[in-house]
Amino acid sequence: MRVLIVYYSMYGHIRKMAEAVAEGVSEVAGAEAVLRRVPETLSEEVLEKMGALEAQKSFAHVPIATVDELASADAIIFGTPTRLGNMCGQMRQFQDGTGELWAKGALVGKVGSVFASSATQHGGQESTILSFHTTLLHQGMIVVGLPYSFQGQMRIDEITGVSPYGASTIAGGQGERMPSQNELAAARFQGKHVATIASKLARK
Ligand SMILES: Cc1cc2nc3c(=O)[nH]c(=O)nc-3n(C[C@H](O)[C@H](O)[C@H](O)COP(=O)(O)O)c2cc1C
């Protein structure tokens, strides 16, 4: 069973979460976690101005996702940083290239799930995930979130991302905060949860 983790990360926060999601997927017997980046749409010049060029170079070895491989996955977990409360443009562009899959109904009945990152605590993680779900539903996917059986959802003793909609992390205004242990645990839980559901569906 193949679970694709398709993400965009500018500075590495979503990338770190994606790796934790992959760990969670791999905990399920027979599930293979496959990490993919969506194509970059910004020039090197713009990335340099945004202070993201070095980080981008360090991700270069992660293969770029193709639209076609979505169709052969059993489940797809998407990761995106928040951009003004929505998914980032790179991810939107990738999604907008899936019209042919939509026309064929190629993703109908597959499990889909989303995780996110924002600079600030209330900067749009939930709206990013929920608005992304609209796209998954248009593709006929079965939307899976992060249930409260993930105990870290209840934490109020420390600042944390994470909601019933999906794992998330707070990056800080300068990107200075990397995902906390609780946020990484949420990402692992979400990966395992999605793979478990997908494996039950695959057996039917
Ligand atoms: C154009 C732009 C818009 C952004 N909009 C928001 C926002 O609405 N709320 C927020 O908290 N952070 C916002 N951010 C910060 C990013 O979400 C943050 O850099 C990202 O989550 C870090 O994850 P990454 O390192 O994986 O890219 C924005 C960043 C950019 C460049």
Side-chain angles (χ1 to χ4, degrees):
M1 202 189 57
R2 196 174 158 89
V3 179
L4 271 186
I5 300 151
V6 179
Y7 68 90
Y8 178 80
S9 184
M10 183 163 266
Y11 303 105
H13 302 82
I14 282 290
R15 172 170 161 68
K16 186 105 182 115
M17 292 289 276
E19 286 169 352
V21 169
E23 285 168 21
V25 168
S26 304
E27 286 175 29
V28 177
E32 181 199 4
V34 180
L35 282 161
R36 293 283 187 264
R37 296 181 293 140
V38 298
E40 183 54 86
T41 58
L42 301 176
S43 66
E44 284 206 354
E45 193 185 354
V46 172
L47 287 171
E48 183 139 40
K49 280 187 183 153
M50 294 176 86
L53 198 52
E54 284 314 305
Q56 289 298 311
K57 283 183 180 164
S58 73
F59 311 152
H61 63 285
V62 181
I64 299 289
T66 65
V67 165
D68 287 345
E69 66 188 328
L70 300 182
S72 59
D74 293 280
I76 312 165
I77 309 175
F78 294 101
T80 178
T82 291
R83 296 283 185 263
L84 307 169
N86 280 285
M87 72 175 83
C88 65
Q90 292 85 345
M91 181 60 77
R92 185 70 261 163
Q93 178 121 333
F94 181 75
Q95 296 295 333
D96 288 358
T98 62
E100 200 179 334
L101 299 184
W102 170 81
K104 291 184 198 153
L107 303 185
V108 173
K110 292 185 193 293
V111 177
S113 195
V114 182
F115 60 100
S117 166
S118 68
T120 58
Q121 193 178 354
H122 303 291
Q125 302 183 349
E126 296 184 10
S127 61
T128 297
I129 296 174
L130 287 169
S131 54
F132 204 135
H133 287 171
T134 311
T135 297
L136 303 189
L137 290 166
H138 275 249
Q139 291 284 11
M141 300 185 83
I142 300 167
V143 173
V144 169
L146 179 71
Y148 276 97
S149 46
F150 171 64
Q151 296 289 314
Q153 191 95 259
M154 305 297 287
R155 289 191 78 154
I156 54 168
D157 60 325
E158 63 175 35
I159 290 177
T160 185
V162 177
S163 73
Y165 315 119
S168 55
T169 183
I170 303 158
Q174 307 302 316
E176 69 276 24
R177 180 181 181 274
M178 286 311 279
S180 67
Q181 289 308 312
N182 194 52
E183 292 161 349
L184 292 171
R188 277 191 290 274
F189 192 105
Q190 188 172 350
K192 186 175 181 182
H193 185 54
V194 167
T196 302
I197 292 169
S199 107
K200 284 180 186 164
L201 286 169
R203 273 187 250 129
K204 295 232 160 127

